[in-house]
Amino acid sequence: MHDRELTFAEAIREALAEEMRRDARVFIIGEDVAEAGTPFKVLSGLVEEFGRDRVIDTPISEPGFSGIGVGAAMTGMRPVVDIMFGDFLGLVMDQIANQAAKVHYMSGGKLSVPMVFRTTMGATRRSAAQHSQSLHAWVSHIPGLKVAIPSTPYDAKGLMKTAIRDNSPVVFFEDKMMYKLKGVVPSDDYTIPFGVADVKRAGNDITLVATSSMVQVALGAADLLAKIGVSAEVIDPRTTLPLDTSTLIESAKKTSRAIVIDEGYEQYGVTAEIASVIADGAFYYLDAPVKRMGAMNVPVPFSPVLEDVTVPTEQMVFEMAKRLCGK
Amino acid sequence: MTEHIDLEQSLHMYEQMAKIRAFEEKVNELYKSAKMPGLAHLYSGEEAVAVGVCEALKRDDYITSTHRGHGHCLAKGAKVDRMFAELLGKEAGYCRGKGGSMHIADPDSGNLGANAIVGGSMGIATGAAMSAKMRKSGQVAVCFFGDGALGQGLFYEVANMAALWKLPVIYVCENNLYGEYTHHTETAAGEFIARAQAFGIHTEIVDGQDVHAVYATMQKLVERARRGEGPAFLQCNTYRYYGHHVGDINRAYYRAKDEEADWRANRDPLTILATRLIAQKLTDASVIARIDAEVNAEVETGVAFALDAPFPDVREVNEDVYA
Ligand SMILES: Cc1ncc(C[n+]2csc(CCOP(=O)(O)OP(=O)(O)O)c2C)c(N)n1
Ligand SMILES: [Mg+2]
């Protein structure tokens, strides 16, 4: 393993390429995935290596090609279905939640659906209400699915490889604002197990549980907190389903305070689930209520002045942590 | 075909097309000079479709629009200044800055809104037609969508119901050959119109670069719909001059520069109309030049207004979530 920096997008592409080389059953299907390499250019170069039989452009028919993915997965292939914007989950929820998620259970374990739905999340791109949502809570609600939500290029590559090798359907969320984020990514074949949180920064006074784009925000807040003498621990669950409850609870027991930060809508969100896990598991150790910070409960507005206040920022997390710590 | 279209109306259609062209050129400039947040999908090249269609509608008839919606919006009667304001996220915009380029709605002119979900408005337009029928209002609804949107299953559900229930809806398919970066021959099997014909829906194909042809055909379809004869499907063959969106600059991998140049040189809707009117000695170049100058001035004033206009108050972020 040697040090090498890749962007988040390159890390995803490398994971896909390595898995496609390793396993001929893996194929990619979605809109403008081939020559265009998706609008975000995440898949650039893959069609050149693997050809149009394995990097398949579709019509604008999300429910259709998602369903085709489910059927192919049930019969021996390992599809990676590309849903360009997470908002389009609205179109494909039946295929994901009623078909893919349930086939294994309903068949008494006889059938399985080894497939990955890759999709995006994240606001502040000035893309307005139908192209900016972070809807991972929707799928994290459904038994039978697994949900990965990486925050670094390293995690993205390792989690994607695990997702492809998993025998259950996985929904994989990529923050589109993070595609250009750089980080060290080993060129060798490594995987990251699902359900194992990562401590992104160790600390003693407060636990900041953060997902995806909010990990960078939490790390920034931790820097600000360090300047006023507060040592924050930043934990990234990396998968919301399965969720590594013990790492979260142990950290909260140690620090006795916790804030959960996530870019999904705050109401009924991922933050609610994680906060309740911590409140339950670390109850006797807590010195303050577990706080939640999610996206504001409004459709994402277009105007930059409005959009910017809908997502938690470093400063907002810093202020909240300061208050919880009585500073 | 053009006999019954008088000069005044032809010049009005020219003006509307010129306004859309000038508007879109300005949007591109705003993007390039980083004055506009986000992206926009330009309508340049397709002006005759929106203008020919909307010319056949009354102000209270409905339209639903798409991500490439500025042309529909202007053609239905929206004002340049408030559209620019919306594109810049300003309070004076049609949606108070909450919608942006892909979500402009202007109910006052019958525009039920642009949509960033491809095919997303097919249900809405069909529902508006059903409502018009239930209310016996005599209104019709027009659903604009691209060739790519025919990939969406929703179309086949609502078209079936529109045909069964003889709803006054006209599905206007803007076939600009591409959906994003892919030619329609790679994504659509068979003929577009055959899909509507399968439901017994009346279909027409027109040259979407000829505003007279679009208008004349559309008039027939609107009359049918108002008479209660049911839905229609109008395929307009057209072309977008720019990329899929303003940031789509290097396009050679999916469409040839020659193809772009050919449409601009030989199939331009403004040139086609102006040339025809001048050749028929109905008008002369100076009249056309004066219209161009007027719409350019309107666009300049409109954009200056929008650039100066204030952003919404941050507290508005919580307003309008519920009615
Ligand atoms: C449901 C959905 N899928 C994909 C997209 C991404 N997308 C935006 S525009 C577009 C192409 C639309 O093509 P077409 O309908 O022909 O309209 P055009 O852009 O050519 O006017 C795509 C795939 C989207 N906005 N919504
Ligand atoms: Mg198109």
Side-chain angles (χ1 to χ4, degrees):
Chain A
M1 164 160 136
H2 62 102
D3 277 5
R4 188 186 58 138
E5 290 220 322
L6 291 188
T7 64
F8 194 92
E10 287 163 348
I12 301 268
R13 186 187 312 149
E14 186 166 278
L16 289 164
E18 287 178 12
E19 292 306 295
M20 289 175 82
R21 277 176 216 132
R22 191 185 59 78
D23 184 345
R25 297 170 299 175
V26 179
F27 70 94
I28 294 171
I29 186 166
E31 291 153 22
D32 281 313
V33 292
E35 282 75 17
T38 78
F40 307 107
K41 304 295 167 204
V42 177
L43 306 182
S44 299
L46 293 185
V47 73
E48 284 77 2
E49 178 174 352
F50 300 103
R52 285 177 145 234
D53 291 341
R54 292 182 72 197
V55 184
I56 303 168
D57 270 349
T58 64
I60 309 170
S61 307
E62 289 86 358
F65 65 75
S66 295
I68 285 173
V70 177
M74 287 167 66
T75 51
M77 301 302 286
R78 291 191 166 253
V80 178
V81 171
D82 189 291
I83 308 289
M84 196 183 295
F85 284 85
D87 311 70
F88 307 162
L89 286 178
L91 289 153
V92 299
M93 275 308 262
D94 184 65
Q95 298 309 315
I96 295 181
N98 289 331
Q99 312 302 335
K102 297 186 176 28
V103 160
H104 187 65
Y105 192 84
M106 292 191 302
S107 68
K110 290 205 169 89
L111 290 164
S112 59
V113 188
M115 70 187 295
V116 180
F117 293 92
R118 281 186 53 239
T119 193
T120 56
M121 56 176 282
T124 67
R125 197 168 164 266
R126 316 311 179 206
S127 303
Q130 295 174 335
H131 277 61
S132 305
Q133 300 173 93
S134 299
L135 297 174
H136 45 294
W138 285 11
V139 282
S140 302
H141 187 60
I142 304 293
L145 299 176
K146 297 186 180 181
V147 182
I149 174 168
S151 69
T152 65
Y154 176 87
D155 289 351
K157 180 176 171 185
L159 291 170
M160 178 57 82
K161 290 170 79 91
T162 302
I164 292 170
R165 295 179 196 188
D166 202 291
N167 287 328
S168 293
V170 177
V171 190
F172 196 98
F173 285 87
E174 301 163 18
D175 186 303
K176 43 195 183 283
M177 299 301 286
M178 249 163 31
Y179 276 135
K180 297 202 166 87
L181 177 81
K182 285 195 161 174
V184 172
V185 178
S187 56
D188 54 351
D189 178 28
Y190 68 94
T191 57
I192 295 174
F194 283 2
V196 179
D198 189 39
V199 178
K200 297 293 184 201
R201 173 180 175 135
N204 297 309
D205 301 330
I206 185 165
T207 299
L208 305 178
V209 181
T211 60
S212 184
S213 55
M214 292 298 112
V215 171
Q216 295 302 320
V217 167
L219 288 170
D223 283 340
L224 298 175
L225 288 165
K227 292 193 187 121
I228 60 162
V230 172
S231 153
E233 178 148 292
V234 178
I235 299 189
D236 174 4
R238 298 198 291 200
T239 52
T240 52
L241 198 62
L243 181 67
D244 179 358
T245 54
S246 62
T247 301
L248 303 176
I249 292 167
E250 288 315 311
S251 174
K253 281 183 179 171
K254 177 178 73 174
T255 63
S256 70
R257 292 177 178 83
I259 305 175
V260 189
I261 313 137
D262 173 84
E263 211 184 321
Y265 298 123
E266 193 168 287
Q267 58 195 9
Y268 294 88
V270 160
T271 56
E273 177 74 17
I274 295 177
S276 90
V277 162
I278 294 172
D280 190 28
F283 183 74
Y284 294 104
Y285 299 78
L286 292 175
D287 288 338
V290 182
K291 287 292 179 186
R292 306 196 279 128
M293 300 179 80
M296 195 180 275
N297 297 323
V298 303
V300 180
F302 167 70
S303 187
V305 296
L306 302 182
E307 185 178 26
D308 285 344
V309 302
T310 65
V311 180
T313 61
E314 272 174 33
Q315 195 61 34
M316 286 158 71
V317 175
F318 168 71
E319 298 293 342
M320 174 77 85
K322 214 169 92 172
R323 264 215 318 283
L324 278 193
C325 296
K327 289 272 178 172
Chain B
M1 176 162 291
T2 63
E3 310 81 55
H4 60 288
I5 305 174
D6 67 24
L7 176 64
E8 196 186 330
Q9 197 165 17
S10 289
L11 289 178
H12 177 250
M13 289 195 277
Y14 181 86
E15 181 187 330
Q16 289 289 77
M17 293 199 294
K19 193 190 292 180
I20 296 169
R21 178 69 55 87
F23 184 91
E24 296 294 58
E25 296 298 327
K26 186 57 76 181
V27 174
N28 205 22
E29 262 177 52
L30 288 171
Y31 169 76
K32 285 194 193 150
S33 55
K35 290 192 180 119
M36 182 183 67
L39 296 170
H41 307 78
L42 302 182
Y43 199 67
S44 309
E46 307 190 20
E47 294 87 348
V49 177
V51 172
V53 165
C54 291
E55 191 73 14
L57 300 178
K58 295 186 187 155
R59 189 169 169 86
D60 71 344
D61 286 328
Y62 296 115
I63 64 164
T64 61
S65 171
T66 68
H67 58 286
R68 197 177 304 290
H70 305 162
H72 310 143
C73 206
L74 286 166
K76 196 67 178 52
K79 295 275 173 290
V80 163
D81 49 0
R82 295 194 58 203
M83 280 188 58
F84 276 128
E86 188 60 36
L87 263 56
L88 297 178
K90 301 298 183 72
E91 173 71 26
Y94 275 108
C95 310
R96 301 165 72 204
K98 286 190 164 124
S101 166
M102 289 200 290
H103 300 289
I104 300 184
D106 177 27
D108 290 342
S109 63
N111 182 349
L112 296 177
N115 211 307
I117 302 297
V118 167
S121 72
M122 290 163 162
I124 296 171
T126 310
M130 170 135 160
S131 149
K133 186 173 177 185
M134 294 172 106
R135 290 181 289 107
K136 301 188 177 29
S137 68
Q139 293 160 292
V140 303
V142 167
C143 180
F144 287 105
F145 56 88
D147 47 292
L150 283 173
Q152 290 290 359
L154 179 61
F155 176 71
Y156 306 92
E157 302 189 9
V158 299
N160 181 44
M161 287 183 267
L164 279 173
W165 303 334
K166 288 202 182 318
L167 302 182
V169 57
I170 297 156
Y171 300 105
V172 176
C173 176
E174 307 185 294
N175 173 24
N176 62 7
L177 305 181
Y178 299 87
E180 276 189 353
Y181 319 108
T182 305
H183 195 272
H184 72 74
T185 48
E186 291 178 42
T187 50
E191 297 288 318
F192 296 149
I193 55 167
R195 298 166 180 221
Q197 286 167 350
F199 300 109
I201 291 178
H202 180 89
T203 64
E204 299 270 356
I205 301 179
V206 289
D207 176 0
Q209 305 309 89
D210 180 349
V211 75
H212 281 147
V214 176
Y215 170 61
T217 308
M218 188 63 192
Q219 260 192 324
K220 279 194 323 198
L221 302 181
V222 170
E223 280 163 20
R224 279 185 80 253
R226 286 204 214 283
R227 281 197 304 265
E229 289 170 28
F233 181 99
L234 175 62
Q235 174 181 336
C236 301
N237 293 327
T238 185
Y239 199 74
R240 62 165 155 80
Y241 285 174
Y242 290 100
H244 171 58
H245 56 67
V246 283
D248 173 25
I249 307 292
N250 301 317
R251 306 186 278 274
Y253 74 92
Y254 72 88
R255 70 179 203 188
K257 285 220 165 82
D258 287 352
E259 179 184 289
E260 296 186 1
D262 181 47
W263 280 84
R264 276 180 185 267
N266 303 315
R267 310 283 307 274
D268 183 74
L270 283 84
T271 312
I272 288 172
L273 178 61
T275 310
R276 178 181 302 151
L277 296 176
I278 293 168
Q280 292 175 350
K281 301 217 184 331
L282 293 170
T283 190
D284 59 53
S286 70
V287 174
I288 298 295
R290 199 184 63 230
I291 295 174
D292 288 341
E294 279 166 11
V295 298
N296 282 329
E298 186 180 343
V299 162
E300 288 302 334
T301 315
V303 79
F305 162 83
L307 285 166
D308 279 351
F311 282 108
D313 187 305
V314 170
R315 282 168 301 195
E316 289 180 27
V317 72
N318 280 311
E319 295 174 7
D320 307 322
V321 178
Y322 297 98

